[in-house]
Amino acid sequence: GTATPGTEPEETSTPLPTEASNVAIEPTATLAPNKMEPTVVPPGNIPNTIWAVTLPDGESMDFGGMLVDDDTVYRLLATSSFVGVQAVDAENGAVKWQMAHQWAGNLFAIEDDTLFFDGGGNTLTAVNAETGAELWRANVEGNPIAIDSDDDRVFVLLDTDFVTAIDEKTGNQLWVAQGSLPASATGGSASIPASLKIAVENNVVAA
């Protein structure tokens, strides 16, 4: 999915040319009219289903990824009224929070109560999994397509065949590297495109 920019967030560690809206929605608050307001219903026509979150009438949804962690379902989604991240209680379908964030692609990961996703425009975005608040955005050398973490560092594989290491707490880039294959004019590998896998163990990164 491709998100549309909103308003400027209050604080970001790395300024970007694009803008994204970050408006917190408290779990007990009424959602604003221009935000998606899902309805939790008992779907009588779906056997063995406890709850379902439906869309507002006339809206369609584009998913960028979904995670389940600690009884919470996290979704990257885009509708005509909302683009961002949503956290849903897996026990009853109630929306815990939703925050407007720009996102693109399908990368969506959680590490140490932090959600990571492709923020669009060659950025990696990190948000607090408990509140949805943005922690940082890092400019990188391509679109993030795979991620792993170790020892307070995030290692990201980019679609340009580069790998970058980022400080998990601050979003500061520690290093960026590319394999020894000949580079094409666009900066990526001339013969072998990046796959969607990266792993780190014993201080060695494989991608």
Side-chain angles (χ1 to χ4, degrees), residues 4 21 23-27 29-40 51-66 73-89 93-101 103:
T4 55
S21 169
V23 180
I25 298 176
E26 296 297 329
T30 301
L31 301 183
N34 64 338
K35 303 298 181 188
M36 189 190 71
E37 186 170 0
T39 303
V40 180
W51 55 263
V53 178
T54 63
L55 285 173
D57 290 340
E59 290 206 4
S60 61
M61 180 181 291
D62 189 8
F63 281 102
M66 182 170 64
V73 179
Y74 300 97
R75 305 192 294 172
L76 287 178
L77 50 88
T79 72
S80 59
S81 62
F82 177 79
V83 176
V85 185
Q86 184 186 76
V88 176
D89 191 319
V95 176
K96 292 183 174 182
W97 56 259
Q98 64 183 33
M99 288 278 273
H101 289 287
W103 60 265

Side-chain angles (χ1 to χ4, degrees), residues 180-193:
S180 59
L181 291 171
S184 67
T186 58
S189 166
S191 58
I192 303 175

Side-chain angles (χ1 to χ4, degrees), residues 103-127:
W103 60 265
N106 296 301
L107 174 66
F108 199 23
I110 186 168
E111 298 284 350
D112 299 326
D113 294 324
T114 301
L115 298 169
F116 299 94
F117 53 89
D118 179 354
N122 293 356
T123 64
L124 179 71
T125 301
V127 303

Side-chain angles (χ1 to χ4, degrees), residues 46-182:
I46 308 177
N48 302 316
T49 299
I50 300 171
W51 55 263
V53 178
T54 63
L55 285 173
D57 290 340
E59 290 206 4
S60 61
M61 180 181 291
D62 189 8
F63 281 102
M66 182 170 64
L67 302 170
V68 180
D69 187 72
D70 291 335
D71 295 325
T72 301
V73 179
Y74 300 97
R75 305 192 294 172
L76 287 178
L77 50 88
T79 72
S80 59
S81 62
F82 177 79
V83 176
V85 185
Q86 184 186 76
V88 176
D89 191 319
E91 293 293 324
N92 54 32
V95 176
K96 292 183 174 182
W97 56 259
Q98 64 183 33
M99 288 278 273
H101 289 287
Q102 179 177 324
W103 60 265
N106 296 301
L107 174 66
F108 199 23
I110 186 168
E111 298 284 350
D112 299 326
D113 294 324
T114 301
L115 298 169
F116 299 94
F117 53 89
D118 179 354
N122 293 356
T123 64
L124 179 71
T125 301
V127 303
N128 187 311
E130 294 295 321
T131 65
E134 183 178 296
L135 300 174
W136 48 259
R137 276 182 289 172
N139 290 309
V140 290
E141 288 72 18
N143 297 310
I145 59 175
I147 191 171
D148 199 3
S149 68
D150 182 64
D151 194 23
D152 293 329
R153 295 167 297 174
V154 176
F155 300 91
V156 187
L157 176 63
L158 308 172
D159 62 359
T160 50
D161 293 343
F162 285 95
V163 173
T164 186
I166 297 171
D167 187 298
E168 187 173 343
K169 303 300 182 187
T170 66
N172 294 329
Q173 190 175 66
L174 304 174
W175 52 258
V176 61
Q178 185 184 31
S180 59
L181 291 171

